Every structure is written in C-alpha cells, then in structure tokens.
Amino acid sequence: MGDIKILFAINQHTNQVTSAKCANRDIEYRCLDCHQLVLLRFGQIRLPYFAHQALASCQIFSDNESKEHVSGKYQLATYFTERGYQVELEQYLPKIKQRPDMMLLYPEKKQKFMIEYQCSPITIEYIKARNLGYQQMGLLVRWILGKPYQKKQLQDGTLAKFAQPIGANQIGICFWNTQKKQLFKIPWLKLDGQRSIKNYVKLKKLADLQIKQLVRQSKSFNIINNQLYQMHRSLWGIPWELHNFKHLTGGLKCSNTLALVQLYLFIEEQQRCTKDTLFDFTKTLPWYEFCSMDQGVVQRLWLDQVLSEWTNLKLVSWESNYWFLLREPTWFNHLDLKIMSLHQHNETLIGKDSGRIKYIN
C-alpha cells in the first residue's frame, strides 16, 4: 500500500503547523492527529508531503472525516499561522471532553479562540452543547462552514445556527473556500422581496413585490390584521415609511415589514417609549434561536437599525431619554392611490439616486 500523503505537520521545535512545501529535512515533524513522527518525502518530480512511519493508531483519514474537512482544516491552519496566530489542531480539552478542530492563540492579545470547521449537517442541540462547553472554560468559539454549505441557499434556521459577529455592528456567516483558499464573511441581511443581497434594485419592483406579499397576508386572520381593522386600516395600506426598503439584520421569523408595523403601532399606542421599553417589545417578536451568539445582541442591532432609519425619515425622534413619533405617516385606503404615490416618496425613502436603492456590500 502506498503512502497516505499529508500536507501539514507540527514542527517539533517550534510547535507550529508547517506545510510540507516549507519543511526542512533536518527537523522532525509530528502528525497533527496522532502526534507520531512523520517522514518528509519529496523528489525531483513529486510534490513534498509527510508520511507516517506506521498508521495503526492514526485517525487522520478516518471515515468520520471527509477529505474536504481534512483539506480545509489544514488550509485554515496555514491561513491563521501566516497571520501571526499560534495554531494547535485537534487539541483535546479533558475538562469538557471536547476536541475543537483547532485552537488559536494571538500572542499580542493573549486570547484563545476555538475554531470549529463544519462540513456536514449538524443539529442545534449539538452546536449548543459544543458552545456551552467552551463557554464554561471562558473560551471564544467561531464556526466556519465548508464547501457543502456553500452549494445551496441556506435557510434562515441554518443561518441562525451559525450566525456570529463578523464586524462592527454586523452579524453573518464565515465560509472557507478550499479551492481559492480564502475565508469569506457574508453578512446576514434581510430585505423583504429579495432572497439575496444585490448592489442595486429598482424601488418600484421591490414595492410591487412587498405589496403583493402584504395583500396575501391581509387575507389571513391574525392579531395584526384584527388590530388594523379596528383602527380602520389595512396591512396592504401601511405607509411607505413602514415598508422594508433598507437591509436589516437577519433573525426574524416573520417579514421585516410585519415587524416594523408592530413596532410602529406599539410606539403609537405608548406615545413615549424608553429604549429599554422598545427593546422589551422587540424581544416579543418571532425570532429564530441563535446558537453561536447572544440573541439579545441581534435584537438590539435590529432595533438600532430601525430607529436610525426612522430618524432619517423624520418619523421618530429621541428626546429626554424617550422615543416618540414626530408625525403620522399616510395610511392608504385604496391600493391604486398608494402605488401612484410611490414616486412622491422616492427622494424621502431612498435619496436622489434615480429610483434605485444602493446597498453597501
């Protein structure tokens, strides 16, 4: 049987993960999984690689770990090593009986990060159990998704399982592309009527899609429709200001527009609301269960984005530690009149950009 080629191993002297292409024959290397000595092999034709002296106790290519997972894990080890992190792969943590794919230590901050590289389907319960173990040890964890998760449009429930902070005031998903050897951070943003983030979208097209959605939802019996009916209003007749024309942080099980209507009606009823009062109401909206970050962080981020947009539209204002409505926007009783009035709101809703909404990538 030929050698099983391993592209990365641990440098015996520096304890760093080393690529076979950069290895030195005068240095000893150990397997990332079983920590046994491995041999560096290369020639004039074949590419350098490491090989075990014996494979009896090594599970580095076991049936439980796909080639995609092994390859991605090694690539990530190189990626983080090149960026100044100290990397340890498959380091067993006896206190919680867990073995993360890798442990990162950034010397300057002296902070450890656990990396879980996920290529196969996984349950919410398993993710929560893994995260809880790391939390008990005061360790941060980041989930990175492999190729299988990049082949399809992820459902919101899946996004909620792996969503985590990816930047200032932004949550999203981290992907590793084994072909390009690149780490991608994709923000989780939602816009009613759009399944994916686009640089430009026509306002009229977006408005038409949202109105059709609201007309369908108006036919069902629910608390919102009943509340609006008693106020001689309708869901499809909501003001343009309450439409979801700007990307908002994902996480809601309902459309952003339905949530915006409920939030507006709450402020209208209360007249004056503290930030905590609005946050408590936001928590009552239907949210997905988050596994890898605090749900409250997501809810506060969504609320801040909404209040910021409504402030720009001069719909609400903040004064003396209270939020309140500045004006009552126009509610529509006739669908044709609402559609005809859209051009009047163009500049107010999206600025002077020829009827197109521009999004930030």
Side-chain angles (χ1 to χ4, degrees), residues 224 254 257-267 281 284-286:
I224 302 175
C254 66
T257 302
L258 283 180
L260 293 174
V261 172
Q262 292 179 76
L263 182 63
Y264 172 86
L265 293 176
F266 178 76
I267 298 176
F281 177 80
T284 67
L285 298 172

Side-chain angles (χ1 to χ4, degrees), residues 122-320:
I122 189 173
T123 64
I124 288 179
E125 290 73 24
Y126 186 81
I127 298 174
K128 291 171 66 176
R130 299 286 291 182
N131 289 339
L132 180 60
Y134 297 132
Q135 291 172 10
Q136 290 173 350
M137 293 187 64
L139 299 171
L140 297 176
V141 59
R142 290 292 180 263
W143 291 81
I144 300 176
L145 303 184
K147 186 176 180 179
Y149 283 94
Q150 302 169 43
K151 292 181 178 179
K152 54 188 177 181
Q153 182 82 29
L154 296 182
Q155 299 297 315
D156 285 353
T158 301
L159 292 172
K161 287 196 293 188
F162 297 108
Q164 55 202 341
I166 60 171
N169 298 321
Q170 199 170 57
I171 68 167
I173 308 295
C174 293
F175 296 99
W176 179 256
N177 188 307
T178 51
Q179 292 181 325
K180 296 182 179 180
K181 299 180 181 179
Q182 291 181 345
L183 183 67
F184 295 93
K185 298 179 181 180
I186 309 298
W188 185 12
L189 298 171
K190 288 186 65 176
L191 182 69
D192 294 350
Q194 294 291 318
R195 288 187 59 82
S196 59
I197 301 175
K198 297 181 179 180
N199 290 329
Y200 289 91
V201 59
K202 288 184 177 180
L203 177 66
K204 186 179 184 304
K205 180 179 179 181
L206 188 63
D208 288 343
L209 290 170
Q210 292 186 8
I211 286 177
K212 289 178 181 178
Q213 185 180 44
L214 291 173
V215 170
R216 289 194 300 269
Q217 293 171 338
S218 297
K219 297 177 181 179
S220 62
F221 179 79
N222 54 48
I223 296 176
I224 302 175
N225 282 326
N226 185 50
Q227 183 178 1
L228 291 174
Y229 177 78
Q230 293 180 12
M231 302 171 73
H232 304 287
R233 295 169 174 174
S234 64
L235 188 57
W236 55 259
I238 65 172
W240 287 117
E241 290 88 340
L242 301 188
H243 277 258
N244 176 212
F245 287 147
K246 295 290 178 69
H247 281 110
L248 296 174
T249 291
L252 281 167
K253 289 184 177 180
C254 66
S255 67
N256 278 322
T257 302
L258 283 180
L260 293 174
V261 172
Q262 292 179 76
L263 182 63
Y264 172 86
L265 293 176
F266 178 76
I267 298 176
E268 186 179 56
E269 180 183 10
Q270 298 295 316
Q271 296 186 351
R272 294 166 64 85
C273 303
T274 65
K275 184 67 177 291
D276 289 339
T277 301
L278 290 181
F279 177 59
D280 288 339
F281 177 80
T282 301
K283 290 191 292 185
T284 67
L285 298 172
W287 294 89
Y288 282 98
E289 183 177 6
F290 283 76
C291 300
S292 303
M293 66 179 300
D294 183 2
Q295 188 182 64
V297 173
V298 182
Q299 293 164 339
R300 283 191 182 277
L301 180 57
W302 183 88
L303 178 60
D304 287 343
Q305 291 170 346
V306 171
L307 293 175
S308 175
E309 178 60 19
W310 283 358
T311 300
N312 292 335
L313 295 175
K314 295 181 172 55
L315 184 62
V316 299
S317 182
W318 169 259
E319 185 178 322
S320 302

Side-chain angles (χ1 to χ4, degrees), residues 8 16-17 19 21-22 74-87 106 176 181:
F8 297 88
Q16 295 293 306
V17 175
S19 167
K21 293 187 295 184
C22 303
Y74 290 168
Q75 290 176 6
L76 281 167
T78 301
Y79 175 87
F80 287 115
T81 299
E82 291 174 347
R83 283 156 180 76
Y85 289 91
Q86 294 179 11
V87 180
Y106 198 60
W176 179 256
K181 299 180 181 179

Side-chain angles (χ1 to χ4, degrees), residues 49-66:
Y49 66 92
F50 296 105
H52 284 85
Q53 294 178 350
L55 280 173
S57 61
C58 184
Q59 300 295 315
I60 197 165
F61 288 102
S62 68
D63 293 337
N64 294 327
E65 197 169 22
S66 66

